[in-house]
Every structure is written in structure tokens, then in C-alpha cells.
Amino acid sequence: RQCYKDTICCFMRHIEIWHEWSTWELLNTGGSGVGSSVSTGSAGTGMINAKKRHVSLATCVLELAQKHIPDSTLLAYGQVQILESQISSSSSNGRQNGAP
């Protein structure tokens, strides 16, 4: 994360860096300690909370980027992709749990 923060300082107007940082936040699975402190009984809940945290961090990066580069289609599209994947995964989880 610190590497991306430092890179953004130098390349603020380069949208690729912002997009890569948000992708890293979304796909990063280690280093936060979220999953390691979860007991076995609540492992599913801990993983769901960790995924929500990663999605939240990724969208925050894209929102910050859009404040600096408001006319970027790539950044807006990246945020929409993340949010749509969350909606589709939550609706499919609802169907698996017996909801209509």
C-alpha cells in the first residue's frame, strides 16, 4: 500500500496507477490480519467481513482518484465493476440461503 501511495505522489494524474492500487486493495488477501484472528466457528463471517473491507478500500481509492481526475472513464468503470460484482454476489448468496 505504501508503494502505491508514494507512486501516486509522483504520478497523480496517471489513471493507471490509481486503477492498479484499487485492484490491489480488492484482491489483496494478506497483511491485514483479518482472517488470522478469526475463530473456527465464525470463519465464514470473518471472511465475508474481510471481503467487504477489501471492496470498501478499493472503492475509496477510486473515489479519491475521481476527485483528482474527474473526467476519467476508466476509474468510473472500475468502480462500477466492483459495485456490480458485489450486487451480483450478494444476490446469489441470498438465493443459496433460501431467499427468492
Side-chain angles (χ1 to χ4, degrees):
R1 185 174 293 141
Q2 187 61 43
C3 178
Y4 282 110
K5 288 179 181 180
D6 293 342
T7 305
I8 289 298
C9 288
C10 296
F11 301 105
M12 179 73 69
R13 302 286 299 171
H14 291 264
I15 57 175
E16 298 86 4
I17 304 299
W18 289 102
H19 190 263
E20 287 177 16
W21 183 9
S22 71
T23 303
W24 182 85
E25 292 290 356
L26 184 63
L27 301 177
N28 182 29
T29 57
S32 64
V34 175
S36 60
S37 63
V38 175
S39 66
T40 26
S42 63
T45 306
M47 294 304 285
I48 291 170
N49 290 338
K51 185 175 181 178
K52 286 181 181 179
R53 182 174 183 270
H54 291 301
V55 168
S56 175
L57 290 171
T59 54
C60 286
V61 168
L62 290 172
E63 287 172 3
L64 181 63
Q66 289 177 11
K67 288 180 183 177
H68 294 288
I69 312 169
D71 57 343
S72 171
T73 306
L74 177 66
L75 297 174
Y77 182 70
Q79 187 171 7
V80 168
Q81 277 186 315
I82 292 171
L83 296 176
E84 283 182 347
S85 70
Q86 281 305 106
I87 291 170
S88 66
S89 68
S90 66
S91 66
S92 68
N93 287 341
R95 283 190 216 119
Q96 290 176 354
N97 293 334

